[in-house]
């Protein structure tokens, strides 16, 4: 899921300093997650008042709210996992297909949890009778609405959703940038860019090559990509970093290619804020 920390080997601070090597972590955007939770809570409260599917009318509001809150959170988790898997398998897959697949899978998962909650409550919380396929259709309507809401907010305001809605645009930016390289590099993952005189060395998963361009222009062109400037001569992509370590008072990043990238003092705070180094 988006925003989850990469695991960092647990050890005391002294031992970490002794080893002088750190694994990377992806920073959780807690403000964004708080906004997401507020939105999901509001949706759950709305459904608690609405009580769709014939939800028990005699149950107290707080219990119905808890029921829908669990379902909404379940749907959110299943939805994020589905979107992650979709873009993992199809990095440039169309958004409309992602929405359809995510809605179908999320509806099935939420329906299963809904029936389980009804069963374990001894029927006190009832979601109505009727054929299972009809109930699935009702849940699917809400799943489609929630998926569209998350997708729209993620693209428009970047306040909800699993951070994958913009990934197609990011890949488009990378593809456009890599068009300057020989054909064999154009399907590669972009790892970093370094300045060499009047040229830029573009580091990718398939090797590196030089292009005639200024680093500042490249940085502007790749503004939508998950990366940042770490040195006056280096821009790095988060996906291209293998590890980070401290060398005295300096931070060094290591690319997946094995190349070391220095982090200048003026960029250290930005690198730490991005979760790229301790």
């Amino acid at each position: 899921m988006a925003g989850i920390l990469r695991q960092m080997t647990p050890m005391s601070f002294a031992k970490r300093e002794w080893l002088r090597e750190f694994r990377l972590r992806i920073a959780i955007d807690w403000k964004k997650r708080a906004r997401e939770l507020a939105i999901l809570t509001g949706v759950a409260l709305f459904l608690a008042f609405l009580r769709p599917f014939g939800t028990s009318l005699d149950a107290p509001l707080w219990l119905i709210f808890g029921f829908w809150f669990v379902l909404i959170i379940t749907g959110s988790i299943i939805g994020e996992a589905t979107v992650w898997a979709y873009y993992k398998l199809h990095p440039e897959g169309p958004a409309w297909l992602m929405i359809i697949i995510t809605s179908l899978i999320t509806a099935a998962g939420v329906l299963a949890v809904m029936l389980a909650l009804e069963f374990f409550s001894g029927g006190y919380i009832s979601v109505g009778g009727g054929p299972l396929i009809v109930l699935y259709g009702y849940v699917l309507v809400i799943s489609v609405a929630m998926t569209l809401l998350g997708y729209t907010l993620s693209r428009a305001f970047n306040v909800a959703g699993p951070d994958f809605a913009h990934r197609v645009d990011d890949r488009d930016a990378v593809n456009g940038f890599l068009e300057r390289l020989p054909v064999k590099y154009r399907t590669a993952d972009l790892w970093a860019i370094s300045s060499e005189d009047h040229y830029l060395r573009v580091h990718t998963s398939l090797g590196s090559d030089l292009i005639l361009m200024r680093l500042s222009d490249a940085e502007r062109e790749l503004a939508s990509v998950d990366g940042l400037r770490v040195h006056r001569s280096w821009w790095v992509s988060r996906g291209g970093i293998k590890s980070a370590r401290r060398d005295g008072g300096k931070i060094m990043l290591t690319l997946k290619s094995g190349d070391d990238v220095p982090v200048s003092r003026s960029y250290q705070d930005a690198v730490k804020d991005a979760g790229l180094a301790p």
Side-chain angles (χ1 to χ4, degrees):
M1 296 170 56
I4 299 299
L5 294 177
R6 289 185 186 175
Q7 186 177 6
M8 184 170 68
T9 306
M11 58 183 73
S12 68
F13 180 80
K15 189 175 181 182
R16 291 204 311 265
E17 287 295 305
W18 178 61
L19 291 177
R20 310 186 71 81
E21 186 170 13
F22 302 82
R23 292 188 181 179
L24 290 179
R25 43 187 184 151
I26 298 177
I28 296 177
D29 188 341
W30 292 109
K31 290 183 179 179
K32 176 182 173 183
R33 288 302 180 181
R35 289 192 294 264
E36 291 177 0
L37 183 60
I39 292 172
L40 297 179
T41 300
V43 172
L45 188 60
F46 171 75
L47 292 173
F49 278 106
L50 189 63
R51 303 198 181 203
F53 315 142
T55 307
S56 303
L57 296 178
D58 56 344
L61 179 63
W62 67 267
L63 185 60
I64 299 301
F65 168 75
F67 172 76
W68 281 109
F69 185 76
V70 170
L71 294 181
I72 292 297
I73 294 298
T74 298
S76 177
I77 293 173
I78 295 175
E80 288 204 13
T82 303
V83 173
W84 178 87
Y86 175 82
Y87 281 117
K88 185 72 173 178
L89 296 174
H90 304 284
E92 298 186 40
W96 62 265
L97 182 58
M98 177 273 291
I99 292 171
I100 292 175
I101 293 175
T102 301
S103 299
L104 290 171
I105 295 176
T106 300
V110 170
L111 179 59
V113 174
M114 178 185 291
L115 295 176
L117 291 175
E118 181 181 16
F119 174 79
F120 287 111
S121 71
Y124 184 65
I125 299 179
S126 174
V127 291
L132 194 61
I133 188 66
V134 174
L135 188 56
Y136 176 77
Y138 291 151
V139 178
L140 181 60
V141 171
I142 293 182
S143 294
V144 171
M146 291 298 298
T147 302
L148 287 172
L149 175 64
Y151 175 77
T152 302
L153 289 176
S154 182
R155 287 182 61 85
F157 306 108
N158 196 30
V159 299
D163 290 335
F164 293 103
H166 67 280
R167 182 167 291 185
V168 175
D169 294 336
D170 289 352
R171 188 63 214 184
D172 287 344
V174 171
N175 287 342
F177 183 79
L178 294 179
E179 284 292 321
R180 298 178 173 83
L181 297 176
V183 175
K184 71 173 186 176
Y185 296 106
R186 295 180 186 175
T187 59
D189 293 326
L190 178 62
W191 285 351
I193 304 170
S194 59
S195 179
E196 296 184 9
D197 294 327
H198 298 294
Y199 293 87
L200 295 180
R201 180 166 296 280
V202 182
H203 304 261
T204 76
S205 56
L206 298 178
S208 67
D209 205 346
L210 292 172
I211 60 173
L212 181 59
M213 191 178 189
R214 294 186 304 179
L215 185 56
S216 57
D217 292 335
E219 185 181 11
R220 281 193 294 270
E221 185 171 328
L222 297 170
S224 64
V225 179
D226 191 6
L228 75 163
R229 190 82 165 261
V230 298
H231 189 276
R232 64 183 179 84
S233 301
W234 281 90
W235 176 95
V236 298
S237 167
R238 186 188 296 274
I241 302 173
K242 179 181 179 181
S243 62
R245 70 180 187 274
R246 286 192 175 275
D247 186 4
K250 299 180 181 179
I251 297 174
M252 296 290 292
L253 305 176
T254 300
L255 299 178
K256 291 179 179 178
S257 62
D259 294 321
D260 285 334
V261 178
V263 177
S264 63
R265 293 189 182 277
S266 57
Y267 290 99
Q268 283 190 7
D269 288 343
V271 170
K272 291 177 183 178
D273 291 342
L276 296 178

